[in-house]
Amino acid sequence: MPRLRFIGRLREILGSELELEASSPITLSQILEKLPQEARRLILAEDGRLRVIVLVNEKPAQGLSQVIKPSDVVRFVPIVSGG
Amino acid sequence: MFKGGWTGKILRVDLTREKHAVQDLDGEVARSFMGGRGLAVKILWDELKPGTDPLSPENKLILATGPLTGFALPSSGKLVVASKSPLTGGYGDGNIGTRASYQMKKAGYDAIVVEGRAKEPVVLVVEDSEIKLEKADDLWGKDTYTVQDELEEKHGKEAGILMVGPGAEKLIRFGVVISEKGRAGGRPGIGTVMASKNLKAVVIKGTKEIPAYNREELRELAAEGYKEIKASANYDFWVRQGTMATIEWSQENSVLPSYNFREGWFERADEISGTTMEKVYKVAQKGCPFCNMQCGNICEIKEGPYKGWRVEIDYENIAMLGSNLGIGSMDWAMTLNLYADLQGIDTITLGSVLAFTAELVEKRMLPEDKLGLKLRWGDGEAMLQLAELIAERKGFGEKLGEGVKALSKALGGEWFAMHIKGLEISAYDCHAAPGMALAFATSPIGAHHKDAWFIAWELKIGRDVISKEKVDRLLEMQRIRGGLFEAAVACRLPWIELGFSLEWYPKYLKAATGLDFTLKELYEMADRIYDLIRCFWAREHGGWSREMDYPPERWFKEPLTRGPLAGSKLSKEAYDKLLSWYYEARGWDSRGLPRKSTLRERGLGYVAEQLEAQGMKLEE
Ligand code: SF4
């Protein structure tokens, strides 16, 4: 059951943490497909680029095909600057 | 020679002689340094006598726009204020979103350069070609909200107004320039320089049309740009929370400065977050001219001595005056923010000075009877009392008004004095962010986030990665944030926050000026500006050493104890590697000084010659 963590607008849509129903490994892009459209639009640009930083166990994700294990924590971090 | 964008004129004002002159802007200078920060450092290099006392009449206060300022383009309503800094002794600047930006262009000037010192307090009034000095005895000593109201009443709501507050008048080293109630710029004491000239305010009104190379195209491009911004997926959230969303962001990523940057995680972060602001405190929205993604959060204070007052808040201020002081009360963080704005003193430095003092007290390095009050982490009331002593330069406040660096030299505790080159660090803790630490340490005005925000890019690359690639990305970011945006003088936030494409800017520049600039050329210009700023620092400090580009010892010495990254600290060895690569990538030597060949390549051969003529040895 990988855990997904969100902040900012994504947290408003999905809550701060989501535990996925996935007992076997799953790719990042399969995870994104399970999210509602509004959240997906914040994460992925139309050209398929990631709009946010995705960290898997605090390490940058290696792309959408990265396999996420049931024990992983995936964080979705928007790119903000604070000023 | 100018086909648009620039007005081609600089207004020079000498307050001692009560004279003014209009000077032509050199076309070559405009092409090579553009405007804003670029133009400011060029003027300071060329005209300031080395070793000038920043608070003497000889120092120059520069108010500079850029070729995009004043056109109805995304977020182009800003101007740069710059001078030799009384806080750091080096180059200092800041930008402000203000009506004064477009009014200056409409009055027919790209920049206003003020020197000398008026015999008594004055307001400089610029109405097209009519330049007047008006007496300001009745305004001197008044807070910045009152002065804004009084000057607006006299000169009209559309007038561009820049001013200093009573704190800057008392020559606190971190006085800022203030506009329109809470819009502040010039952290390294640029407001103090203005006050030292007895210049309480500048009022600017213009009636001319700003020259444009292709006005129609500019209008069309602007309309498309505005549309792109509005269509951004994150637009609504941004307008609701603005930079305040970063409190939660920094907390989640363990970079929220807490207890004088001892920690990057704060147990009461929720109480000062963007969400709390939105639910409880926000009453109105404000923005800079020409911006369609306005981020000014106007909030009302609910409790305390300033109950009912309104204050514009953003991330940096609330983090530095909240979590960094152990304050988990939005009311008290906002109260301190408001007080600093009224007094015209920098909120970030104030937060750092208060935190440093609290730690000195905690470590028994400063007896409370000497301080004159009981100071504890999280005690907003005591922090406000201390801020009042600072602003009024009373008792121990006199010393605190010199900033953290001077304070630590006098009282000890240099390893936890959170400044770089004398400028207090903005609100990102770097125990677990070596690239961000390097960004702060190489920022051209000292540790300010404007040039230095690298933290999100660093997360993307990997916080523990120590590589040349990371350094190259930092340079790229500095070229964009510190070069392009500060010289063209446009707000960087559409690009960062909403992903507004950088490709727009060469198009805007072409339509405004008629000149072709590629992004590559703009980055070369950014490097030229960075090199000249570094040379200015070296000239004023009589040389350079790499220690000047080090972050405070605390981040190397004392690991985080709270939050998910507890145990993390910086490695000196890794930092040194990054710094050496950084110097190499910039064409600077191992001391951090530009090489002669680098300066020649950037058209700054004369700068190398002047430094050498003063006895500084530069490497080839
Ligand atoms: S985004 Fe904010 S800071 Fe930038 S121009 Fe708009 S209101 Fe001003």
Side-chain angles (χ1 to χ4, degrees):
Chain A
M1 307 280 177
R3 282 191 296 143
L4 314 182
R5 290 183 58 87
F6 307 100
I7 55 174
R9 178 69 191 130
L10 282 169
R11 181 177 51 73
E12 289 184 335
I13 303 169
L14 299 163
S16 52
E17 195 167 307
L18 205 71
E19 204 153 335
L20 267 198
E21 294 296 319
S23 45
S24 53
I26 175 174
T27 66
L28 200 49
S29 85
Q30 285 168 326
I31 288 182
L32 295 187
E33 274 162 31
K34 290 180 185 280
L35 301 180
Q37 160 77 19
E38 194 188 358
R40 264 210 318 271
R41 191 168 110 81
L42 285 160
I43 296 171
L44 269 185
E46 273 136 37
D47 59 7
R49 256 182 324 112
L50 277 170
R51 279 200 166 117
V52 299
I53 303 160
V54 181
L55 300 173
V56 181
N57 304 326
E58 291 306 307
K59 299 265 179 254
Q62 299 304 309
L64 292 173
S65 54
Q66 178 165 348
V67 176
I68 307 298
K69 296 190 292 302
S71 58
D72 287 343
V73 178
V74 185
R75 287 209 297 130
F76 295 82
V77 184
I79 297 179
V80 302
S81 88
Chain B
M1 109 121 249
F2 293 104
K3 292 182 256 176
W6 293 277
T7 65
K9 302 285 175 208
I10 298 176
L11 175 65
R12 316 287 304 220
V13 178
D14 184 334
L15 293 172
T16 305
R17 292 164 57 233
E18 297 181 0
K19 290 221 169 347
H20 73 270
V22 178
Q23 177 193 21
D24 288 334
L25 170 65
D26 181 324
E28 217 15 74
V29 170
R31 174 96 216 186
S32 309
F33 294 92
M34 194 158 273
R37 150 184 286 183
L39 182 58
V41 69
K42 172 72 176 146
I43 292 173
L44 289 173
W45 176 269
D46 286 350
E47 299 182 11
L48 218 58
K49 222 169 111 222
T52 297
D53 174 355
L55 297 182
S56 70
E58 287 71 37
N59 195 8
K60 300 191 186 212
L61 169 71
I62 299 169
L63 314 172
T65 64
L68 297 182
T69 311
F71 294 114
L73 294 172
S75 312
S76 61
K78 293 207 158 201
L79 66 72
V80 166
V81 295
S83 196
K84 179 176 173 182
S85 159
L87 184 64
T88 67
Y91 171 79
D93 70 17
N95 70 48
I96 313 180
T98 165
R99 293 193 285 271
S101 62
Y102 67 81
Q103 290 289 11
M104 189 189 298
K105 292 289 282 282
K106 284 172 66 177
Y109 310 106
D110 294 309
I112 299 177
V113 182
V114 183
E115 60 189 76
R117 176 183 293 146
K119 282 195 279 300
E120 52 192 0
V122 292
V123 175
L124 169 64
V125 181
V126 177
E127 290 185 56
D128 291 338
S129 56
E130 204 180 313
I131 317 296
K132 282 182 295 190
L133 290 176
E134 292 181 350
K135 278 180 139 220
D137 306 9
D138 57 330
L139 295 176
W140 200 254
K142 284 187 179 162
D143 71 72
T144 61
Y145 277 31
T146 306
V147 173
Q148 181 73 33
D149 286 339
E150 290 187 13
L151 287 175
E152 263 183 24
E153 198 173 316
K154 184 164 178 193
H155 296 279
K157 284 227 171 298
E158 268 305 300
I161 302 171
L162 302 167
M163 72 187 74
V164 296
E169 291 167 17
K170 297 212 172 62
L171 303 185
I172 289 167
R173 299 261 161 180
F174 43 96
V176 281
V177 179
I178 297 259
S179 187
E180 297 159 27
K181 300 188 180 175
R183 295 268 145 155
R187 286 193 54 213
I190 311 305
T192 312
V193 172
M194 181 164 161
S196 77
K197 301 189 172 308
N198 271 333
L199 183 58
K200 177 68 183 177
V202 179
V203 176
I204 315 172
K205 288 198 285 186
T207 58
K208 297 175 193 158
E209 185 173 61
I210 304 169
Y213 171 68
N214 188 338
R215 203 172 298 282
E216 200 37 51
E217 192 176 339
L218 204 52
R219 227 191 312 266
E220 279 167 25
L221 286 169
E224 281 176 54
Y226 282 128
K227 226 162 91 191
E228 182 178 310
I229 287 174
K230 215 132 187 210
S232 155
N234 210 31
Y235 181 85
D236 291 332
F237 185 68
W238 167 258
V239 172
R240 276 167 37 212
Q241 292 205 359
T243 63
M244 280 296 292
T246 310
I247 295 273
E248 182 192 10
W249 192 97
S250 290
Q251 171 82 342
E252 276 290 308
N253 292 299
S254 290
V255 295
L256 182 66
S258 310
Y259 304 97
N260 195 29
F261 290 88
R262 195 185 283 162
E263 306 291 345
W265 184 91
F266 183 49
E267 62 282 6
R268 294 179 65 188
D270 277 354
E271 290 160 78
I272 55 167
S273 71
T275 305
T276 299
M277 171 202 73
E278 217 191 325
K279 284 199 185 126
V280 187
Y281 296 96
K282 187 163 174 175
V283 289
Q285 194 84 19
K286 188 172 160 184
C288 307
F290 312 118
C291 178
N292 74 330
M293 49 176 282
Q294 305 204 335
C295 69
N297 296 305
I298 306 293
C299 295
E300 194 174 294
I301 299 173
K302 303 265 179 225
E303 297 292 342
Y306 287 89
K307 184 176 171 182
W309 282 68
R310 288 182 172 200
V311 56
E312 182 176 346
I313 65 171
D314 64 38
Y315 166 71
E316 294 289 339
N317 305 339
I318 295 303
M320 292 304 290
L321 296 167
S323 54
N324 200 43
L325 302 179
I327 292 179
S329 148
M330 188 70 107
D331 280 303
W332 276 113
M334 291 199 305
T335 298
L336 288 163
N337 189 154
L338 171 69
Y339 183 73
D341 286 349
L342 289 169
Q343 294 295 321
I345 58 181
D346 177 42
T347 45
I348 295 174
T349 291
L350 177 65
S352 200
V353 169
L354 294 174
F356 183 66
T357 312
E359 189 158 356
L360 284 175
V361 170
E362 184 187 50
K363 290 189 157 59
R364 299 181 191 282
M365 294 168 73
L366 174 62
E368 277 177 331
D369 53 354
K370 203 164 166 189
L371 191 61
L373 54 92
K374 243 180 151 34
L375 192 69
R376 294 286 177 277
W377 294 116
D379 183 346
E381 201 170 345
M383 295 289 178
L384 179 62
Q385 276 174 28
L386 192 54
E388 286 166 353
L389 289 180
I390 297 172
E392 290 165 21
R393 302 217 86 162
K394 277 198 189 138
F396 204 75
E398 175 79 35
K399 263 205 169 59
L400 301 187
E402 298 293 306
V404 162
K405 182 180 176 187
L407 206 56
S408 67
K409 281 213 171 342
L411 300 176
E414 282 179 89
W415 68 272
F416 60 89
M418 302 309 287
H419 71 89
I420 299 172
K421 299 184 186 67
L423 186 68
E424 289 73 9
I425 302 172
S426 310
Y428 296 98
D429 184 79
C430 295
H431 276 90
M436 183 69 195
L438 179 70
F440 270 141
T442 55
S443 148
I445 62 167
H448 184 52
H449 57 281
K450 176 175 61 178
D451 290 74
W453 166 83
F454 185 59
I455 184 67
W457 285 19
E458 179 158 39
L459 247 61
K460 209 166 165 181
I461 298 167
R463 329 174 53 135
D464 49 1
V465 170
I466 302 296
S467 69
K468 282 191 179 178
E469 192 229 339
K470 189 178 249 185
V471 170
D472 288 343
R473 292 303 309 265
L474 171 59
L475 255 78
E476 183 190 342
M477 192 213 65
Q478 290 180 333
R479 284 170 182 141
I480 299 168
R481 281 180 72 109
L484 163 60
F485 286 117
E486 292 306 308
V489 197
C491 179
R492 56 193 176 260
L493 298 179
W495 163 66
I496 301 164
E497 303 287 346
L498 301 184
F500 188 56
S501 168
L502 288 175
E503 299 294 337
W504 285 102
Y505 294 94
K507 292 184 201 160
Y508 288 151
L509 284 167
K510 171 74 183 184
T513 68
L515 298 176
D516 290 302
F517 289 97
T518 59
L519 277 176
K520 185 168 171 279
E521 284 169 325
L522 292 169
Y523 297 166
E524 281 163 11
M525 173 193 72
D527 288 345
R528 182 178 305 116
I529 294 170
Y530 261 60
D531 288 344
L532 187 56
I533 292 179
R534 175 53 58 114
C535 289
F536 182 86
W537 276 89
R539 185 178 83 175
E540 299 307 313
H541 282 263
W544 203 257
S545 66
R546 59 192 284 140
E547 286 69 42
M548 297 280 283
D549 295 328
Y550 269 55
E553 200 55 31
R554 154 155 279 162
W555 289 336
F556 295 109
K557 185 174 161 148
E558 207 186 46
L560 296 172
T561 67
R562 297 182 189 178
L565 296 184
S568 304
K569 62 175 183 166
L570 290 183
S571 138
K572 204 157 234 166
E573 200 190 327
Y575 182 82
D576 254 323
K577 256 193 205 159
L578 289 173
L579 184 60
S580 295
W581 286 329
Y582 179 89
Y583 288 162
E584 225 174 274
R586 281 223 167 274
W588 296 356
D589 67 21
S590 57
R591 295 167 296 174
L593 277 176
R595 294 177 181 281
K596 278 193 268 191
S597 48
T598 306
L599 291 173
R600 276 197 306 271
E601 205 179 293
R602 310 242 187 274
L604 299 173
Y606 62 97
V607 172
E609 282 164 26
Q610 287 171 25
L611 282 179
E612 294 222 299
Q614 280 167 35
M616 209 174 295
K617 221 51 232 103
L618 296 183
E619 289 180 17
E620 185 52 43

